[in-house]
Amino acid sequence: VVGYNDGVVDIIELKPNAGPSALGQVNGYSLLYARDINISPTPQAVLVTDTLRLDMDEMAENEEVTLIIV
């Protein structure tokens, strides 16, 4: 999902029970979007999931991915 709000672009990955691979996916999508659409800075990566798995909050912070648990 690509979200636009006040000039800010979010690349949003929706994944149930998301693990570490989802962080790589959403970061990869953000880089590709920035390359293909030719925008700077790179869009913000957001991961929306239903379960907070062990250490995911720390890994998301380290990867600069906003983690949303619903």
Side-chain angles (χ1 to χ4, degrees), residues 3 7 9 11 17 19 24-25 27-28 30 39 44 49-51 54 56 58 68 70:
V9 177
I11 303 298
N17 196 29
Q25 288 174 322
N27 273 332
S30 294
I39 65 169
Q44 171 63 45
T49 189
D50 61 342
T51 305
L54 183 64
M56 278 296 291
E58 183 178 346
I68 299 173
V70 294

Side-chain angles (χ1 to χ4, degrees), residues 25-66:
Q25 288 174 322
V26 73
N27 273 332
Y29 299 149
S30 294
L31 291 171
L32 292 174
Y33 184 89
R35 181 198 70 190
D36 293 345
I37 305 301
N38 195 27
I39 65 169
S40 184
T42 301
Q44 171 63 45
V46 179
L47 175 60
V48 179
T49 189
D50 61 342
T51 305
L52 179 59
R53 293 176 60 177
L54 183 64
D55 298 324
M56 278 296 291
D57 52 347
E58 183 178 346
M59 288 187 288
E61 183 178 342
N62 187 56
E63 293 289 322
E64 298 181 357
V65 173
T66 301

Side-chain angles (χ1 to χ4, degrees), residues 8-20:
V8 176
V9 177
D10 291 327
I11 303 298
I12 306 164
E13 174 75 5
L14 307 167
K15 189 167 296 254
N17 196 29

